[in-house]
């Protein structure tokens, strides 16, 4: 319900092709700050408490509808793009019959910057002025290309004049039409009377203004201060500008809520991310998707987190990648580590440089400090995984699991050939290729016996003396010293 206790229905026009994007993807699906542009309009409609939200689709309708599945939006297809008035009628037809007691708000699928607060003020002004049709407008020094708002002496809107039809005096008007309207319940029936007697043969929603005035209804306008809110992203440049604006807005909100950003201009946080207090983000950090960081988390420079959950006090060091992973309180990750989907770290886990995990569950206080691959594995508490360890989980056809118990010591450069079980408190000697299970408390040594042949280097390289002198002067000097 809106603040006048009348229901609110929202129709979002999103049927256009967007040829200036030069893309196979429908324009309204191009993402900005983690959401497709049209999803921002659906989001703000929901935040307004809209009773019904209808998205009018056309170009790429199936893709747009699939992208908005689960949002609760209804869909109306505009099979032929015959103008904004025709699109509005398609959307109005999707509203339940007999529910004409609502105000109707018209939004667009390519204006992701429009704020909730702005729309609330628009609707409030609509009621304060007892208006039947209220236009969201802005003022700019040069409104070239926009429809101009022409008012009477009392501030009522008389008409909207398009650029090519405007007189020189009208072109000098700085107030422009954003295309965002809030209207009373008469709008669908009045829109049926919109004609297409114009060079393009299209039905324009702006013609609804004259139909309201013909009924003796009051038409008003609400002027916003930040005109950037209503500027659509029509090409890649506009898309990038919208991204910058939203990033600034999102980052500012987080900083005001107790998050430290060392360099906000290089920090990218998608709108779907949740951050606790005293989170610290170093320069170049990117947070995407459903990422959630608890209080006191630190993320190092140029790390990328996607759909990650980090509990209290976690430290992710520079240049790490965390995707679809859950990291327990007090753990540290990186630098240059990669946690892949299905990774779950318990409390106090240490994942060091150039360690990669995938579908791995590591219990409390496990340590894997260097150069390891841990895939499809469960590891018990307080186990130490040595440098260069590989859990060989793939046989070329299938992935196989490995289970390592608590308190295990895995020596450097060990390879565990899955499926394997290593019991609690077991030891695996460095350099072992383990192809059998290791019982609890046992030592596994799986490597060839070392042979040492005295003087072998002198004999081998001595036979290649001329080549050694040419290619390896240090070794040639060593050979001469051996002879002496």
């Amino acid at each position: 319900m809106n603040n006048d206790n009348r229901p609110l229905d929202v129709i979002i026009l999103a049927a256009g092709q967007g040829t200036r994007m030069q893309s196979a993807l429908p324009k309204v699906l191009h993402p900005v700050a983690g959401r497709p542009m049209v999803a921002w309009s659906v989001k703000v409609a929901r935040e307004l408490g809209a009773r019904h939200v209808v998205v009018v689709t056309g170009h790429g309708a199936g893709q747009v509808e699939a992208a908005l599945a689960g949002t609760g939006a209804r869909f109306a297809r505009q099979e032929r793009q015959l103008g904004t008035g025709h699109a509005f009628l398609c959307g109005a037809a999707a509203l339940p019959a007999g529910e004409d007691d609502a105000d109707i708000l018209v939004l667009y699928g390519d204006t992701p910057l429009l704020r909730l607060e702005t729309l609330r003020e628009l609707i409030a002004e609509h009621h304060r002025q007892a208006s039947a049709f209220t236009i969201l407008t802005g003022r700019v020094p040069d409104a070239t290309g926009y429809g101009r708002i022409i008012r009477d002496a009392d501030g009522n809107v008389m008409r909207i004049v398009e650029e090519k039809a405007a007189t020189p005096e009208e072109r000098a008007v700085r107030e422009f039409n954003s295309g965002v309207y809030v209207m009373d319940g008469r709008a669908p029936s009045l829109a049926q009377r919109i004609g297409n007697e114009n060079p393009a043969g299209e039905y324009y929603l702006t013609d609804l203004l004259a139909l309201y005035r013909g009924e003796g209804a009051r038409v008003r306008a609400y002027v916003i201060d930040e005109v950037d809110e209503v500027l659509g992203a029509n090409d890649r440049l506009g898309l990038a500008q919208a991204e910058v604006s939203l990033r600034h807005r999102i980052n500012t909100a987080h900083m005001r809520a107790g998050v430290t950003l060392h360099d906000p201009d290089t920090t990218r946080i998608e709108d779907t991310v949740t951050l606790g207090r005293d989170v610290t983000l170093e320069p170049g950090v990117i947070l995407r998707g459903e990422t959630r960081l608890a209080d006191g988390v630190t993320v190092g420079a140029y790390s990328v987190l996607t759909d990650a959950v980090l509990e209290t006090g976690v430290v992710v060091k520079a240049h790490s990648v965390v995707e679809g992973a859950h990291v327990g309180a007090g753990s540290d990750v990186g630098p240059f580590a990669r946690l892949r989907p299905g990774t779950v770290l318990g409390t106090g886990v240490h994942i060091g440089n150039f360690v990669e995990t995938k579908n791995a569950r590591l219990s409390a206080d496990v340590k894997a400090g260097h150069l390891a691959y841990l895939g499809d594995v469960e590891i018990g508490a307080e186990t130490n995984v040595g440098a260069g360890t590989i859990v060989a989980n793939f046989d070329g056809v299938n992935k196989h699991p490995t289970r390592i118990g608590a308190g295990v010591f895995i020596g450097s450069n060990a390879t565990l050939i899955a499926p394997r079980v290593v019991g609690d408190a077991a030891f695996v000697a460095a350099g072992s290729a383990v192809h059998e299970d290791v019982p609890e408390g046992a030592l596994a040594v799986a490597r060839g016996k070392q042979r040492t042949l005295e003087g072998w280097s002198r004999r081998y390289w001595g036979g290649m003396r001329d080549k050694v002198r040419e290619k390896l002067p240090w070794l040639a000097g060593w050979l001469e010293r051996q002879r002496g």
Side-chain angles (χ1 to χ4, degrees):
M1 304 289 282
N2 59 44
N3 61 4
D4 197 42
N5 294 323
R6 287 205 300 271
L8 178 71
D9 294 334
V10 178
I11 296 176
I12 300 170
L13 307 188
Q17 184 173 358
T19 54
R20 281 182 283 177
M21 281 291 181
Q22 297 293 319
S23 175
L25 187 69
K27 178 175 76 168
V28 298
L29 290 187
H30 281 265
V32 180
R35 298 179 191 271
M37 285 197 288
V38 67
W40 284 96
S41 297
V42 173
K43 177 176 182 281
V44 76
R46 286 296 179 208
E47 290 172 341
L48 284 168
R51 181 177 64 179
H52 303 297
V53 178
V54 178
V55 180
V56 181
T57 61
H59 179 72
Q63 292 172 271
V64 175
E65 291 165 13
L68 296 176
T71 64
R74 299 166 176 256
F75 301 104
R77 291 199 179 183
Q78 187 186 21
E79 301 293 349
R80 299 171 61 202
Q81 276 73 65
L82 301 177
T84 53
H86 178 251
F88 173 77
L89 283 172
C90 292
L95 294 172
E99 294 187 0
D100 56 358
D101 57 335
D103 287 329
I104 299 176
L105 173 67
V106 175
L107 300 176
Y108 297 85
D110 63 351
T111 53
L113 298 179
L114 200 50
R115 294 175 183 266
L116 173 64
E117 295 78 12
T118 297
L119 293 175
R120 282 178 173 160
E121 281 300 312
L122 169 67
I123 294 167
E125 182 71 5
H126 178 71
H127 297 147
R128 279 194 297 266
Q129 297 293 334
S131 175
F133 186 105
T134 304
I135 307 166
L136 185 65
T137 68
R139 290 193 177 99
V140 290
D142 181 2
T144 299
Y146 292 97
R148 307 304 204 282
I149 300 297
I150 308 301
R151 298 180 184 243
D152 65 15
D154 295 324
N156 296 305
V157 178
M158 302 294 292
R159 62 189 185 278
I160 300 170
V161 180
E162 297 302 325
E163 172 87 17
K164 53 192 174 184
T167 65
E169 293 77 15
E170 289 168 339
R171 288 195 186 99
V173 173
R174 297 170 51 232
E175 187 177 7
F176 69 92
N177 172 33
S178 75
V180 174
Y181 313 113
V182 60
M183 305 166 284
D184 66 19
R186 287 176 287 176
S189 61
L190 287 174
Q192 297 281 354
R193 293 158 47 188
I194 295 175
N196 65 341
E197 294 79 22
N198 54 70
E202 292 189 348
Y203 300 86
Y204 295 130
L205 191 55
T206 50
D207 290 347
L208 198 54
L209 186 155
L211 294 171
Y212 265 103
R213 286 187 56 81
E215 296 267 309
R218 193 176 196 192
V219 179
R220 301 288 291 183
Y222 173 69
V223 184
I224 60 171
D225 295 326
E226 299 292 335
V227 296
D228 287 352
E229 289 187 45
V230 295
L231 299 182
N234 295 314
D235 54 21
R236 306 293 178 132
L237 177 61
L239 198 66
Q241 291 169 339
E243 179 80 32
V244 170
S245 295
L246 275 174
R247 183 168 74 240
H248 174 75
R249 189 183 298 177
I250 292 167
N251 289 356
T252 298
H254 283 302
M255 288 187 286
R256 286 176 174 163
V259 174
T260 295
L261 274 59
H262 287 179
D263 186 358
D265 288 341
T266 63
T267 304
R268 287 164 170 77
I269 307 170
E270 292 186 349
D271 178 64
T272 48
V273 170
T274 302
L275 303 180
R277 290 200 309 172
D278 296 317
V279 166
T280 298
L281 305 179
E282 295 182 357
V285 168
I286 299 175
L287 305 180
R288 295 174 172 152
E290 299 298 326
T291 292
R292 292 187 286 115
L293 308 187
D295 294 351
V297 168
T298 297
V299 182
Y302 304 104
S303 293
V304 181
L305 279 61
T306 305
D307 297 327
V309 177
L310 276 57
E311 301 292 355
T312 304
V314 167
V315 175
V316 175
K317 298 177 183 177
H319 298 282
S320 295
V321 177
V322 182
E323 180 181 3
H326 189 123
V327 182
S331 296
D332 66 282
V333 175
F336 295 99
R338 184 184 182 194
L339 306 187
R340 291 168 57 191
T343 294
V344 178
L345 307 184
T347 58
V349 172
H350 169 62
I351 298 292
N353 48 282
F354 301 103
V355 174
E356 178 180 352
T357 66
K358 189 273 294 184
N359 196 25
R361 301 184 68 89
L362 278 59
S363 298
D365 300 314
V366 169
K367 292 178 174 55
H370 327 272
L371 304 162
Y373 173 67
L374 308 176
D376 297 294
V377 63
E378 293 186 16
I379 303 178
E382 300 182 9
T383 285
N384 185 87
V385 178
T389 294
I390 295 174
V391 176
N393 58 331
F394 186 47
D395 64 7
V397 178
N398 298 305
K399 300 289 180 69
H400 299 282
T402 292
R403 183 160 52 85
I404 301 171
V408 173
F409 182 90
I410 308 292
S412 295
N413 289 325
T415 300
L416 307 180
I417 303 171
R420 286 281 70 80
V421 175
V422 179
D424 293 346
F427 278 67
V428 174
S432 294
V434 177
H435 56 88
E436 296 179 359
D437 291 350
V438 182
E440 179 180 343
L443 167 65
V445 182
R447 61 192 181 204
K449 183 177 179 180
Q450 179 174 324
R451 297 172 62 204
T452 302
L453 304 180
E454 296 288 344
W456 183 89
S457 290
R458 185 171 55 190
R459 294 194 299 274
Y460 177 76
W461 292 114
M464 303 173 66
R465 185 169 285 110
D466 291 341
K467 187 174 290 188
V468 169
R469 284 197 182 105
E470 178 184 353
K471 300 290 185 181
L472 302 169
W474 180 89
L475 184 57
W478 179 81
L479 286 170
E480 293 299 327
R481 290 193 298 274
Q482 294 299 307
R483 290 182 64 193

